[in-house]
Amino acid sequence: MLKVLIISSNLKFVQKFFNSVDNDSLGLCIRGIADTTQKVHDILRHKKIDIIFRDDSTDLCFSPTFWKKHSKSTINLSIKHLNSKNINNIIEKIYNIAIDAGLDRKKNIADLILDELKYIGYKIKYKGTLLLAAAILEVFKHPKEGFDNFENHIFPIVANTYNINPSSLKSIINKATNYMYRDCDIDKLKEYFHFYEDTKPSVKVVATEVYNRVKKKLK
């Protein structure tokens, strides 16, 4: 987990915002929130910090040498632009910052997703497997959407990325899931999804279980 310090004069709003973000999925651990120079120094003196999110409207001043010494990445986060209308854009920005600061974290997540899919019987040779993996990865980028709007929100994003019609994408993923169920080890499938009977899991069930298992491995 990347350890984060938040510096802002608007503590309540920032805390509320970060509480709305799935920090586990982003690989972030909030180690402190400070609104004075003294609090910043106290936190940095006693805690290891990887990333500093700094409200660009704050009047606290530190030298570039100070930032380089105490963090991998110094981020200017504009509080005035934080609102419900663009919260997903801000979350994606944070996600990308977490990826950059964590080096190959995005690649690791993608690999873990594919490992889970292959374990339950999905074959990489099928395009639907890769598209399903891409859809699950998008949930890590848009954790607020979760799986309530998996097909309505996440599928169109993936379809746009791969220049595919959303309905075609759904069909391709369903086909890969059908092949998985046809060729899988039923006992392994039942154990993985905690099924009592021989049942084909829906795409949403597969994606949710894989997401939760990968998220657990990232902690």
Side-chain angles (χ1 to χ4, degrees):
M1 299 289 281
L2 294 166
K3 300 170 184 64
V4 177
L5 167 63
I6 303 165
I7 301 175
S8 174
S9 56
N10 194 349
L11 293 189
K12 288 185 178 179
F13 188 82
V14 174
Q15 191 162 21
K16 182 178 179 181
F17 171 75
F18 273 90
N19 284 342
S20 72
V21 176
D22 190 341
N23 293 300
D24 286 341
S25 294
L26 296 172
L28 303 179
C29 173
I30 309 301
R31 296 301 301 273
I33 303 177
D35 60 349
T36 68
T37 303
Q38 185 60 50
K39 286 181 181 178
V40 172
H41 282 291
D42 287 344
I43 290 171
L44 292 174
R45 188 179 300 117
H46 298 104
K47 299 179 180 180
K48 180 182 180 299
I49 299 296
D50 298 313
I51 300 177
I52 297 174
F53 286 105
R54 180 166 46 128
D55 172 6
D56 66 2
S57 66
T58 187
D59 56 1
L60 302 183
C61 296
F62 300 92
S63 69
T65 303
F66 174 87
W67 297 122
K68 186 175 181 180
K69 176 182 178 182
H70 288 292
S71 70
K72 292 180 181 177
S73 178
T74 303
I75 308 305
N76 287 307
L77 189 62
S78 179
I79 302 307
K80 62 186 178 183
H81 293 146
L82 285 177
N83 55 62
S84 59
K85 292 182 179 179
N86 71 346
I87 190 168
N88 283 333
N89 290 334
I90 297 297
I91 290 174
E92 182 149 2
K93 178 182 177 182
I94 295 172
Y95 175 85
N96 289 328
I97 289 167
I99 291 170
D100 292 340
L103 300 177
D104 294 329
R105 188 169 184 275
K106 182 176 182 180
K107 179 177 182 296
N108 289 339
I109 293 175
D111 287 344
L112 288 171
I113 291 170
L114 282 174
D115 286 346
E116 293 294 324
L117 291 175
K118 287 188 289 185
Y119 176 79
I120 57 179
Y122 279 89
K123 300 293 191 299
I124 298 301
K125 66 180 180 180
Y126 297 125
K127 187 176 182 179
T129 299
L130 300 178
L131 292 174
L132 176 55
I136 298 170
L137 183 60
E138 282 298 325
V139 179
F140 278 94
K141 297 170 68 174
H142 302 276
K144 273 189 71 69
E145 293 297 333
F147 291 94
D148 291 337
N149 299 306
F150 186 58
E151 292 188 7
N152 293 330
H153 181 80
I154 300 298
F155 275 19
I157 295 175
V158 177
N160 183 63
T161 300
Y162 290 90
N163 195 28
I164 302 172
N165 182 285
S167 60
S168 297
L169 179 136
K170 181 178 179 179
S171 176
I172 294 169
I173 291 176
N174 283 337
K175 186 178 292 186
T177 301
N178 289 337
Y179 288 142
M180 176 279 292
Y181 181 63
R182 183 193 68 186
D183 301 331
C184 75
D185 179 328
I186 294 299
D187 288 335
K188 181 186 287 188
L189 195 73
K190 287 165 63 178
E191 183 275 330
Y192 192 88
F193 293 103
H194 309 290
F195 289 162
Y196 291 104
E197 299 178 354
D198 180 354
T199 307
K200 186 183 79 171
S202 67
V203 169
K204 183 177 179 180
V205 167
V206 171
T208 303
E209 184 65 27
V210 168
Y211 173 85
N212 288 333
R213 286 177 180 253
V214 170
K215 182 177 174 180
K216 188 175 181 179
K217 288 181 178 180
L218 290 171
K219 291 183 177 181

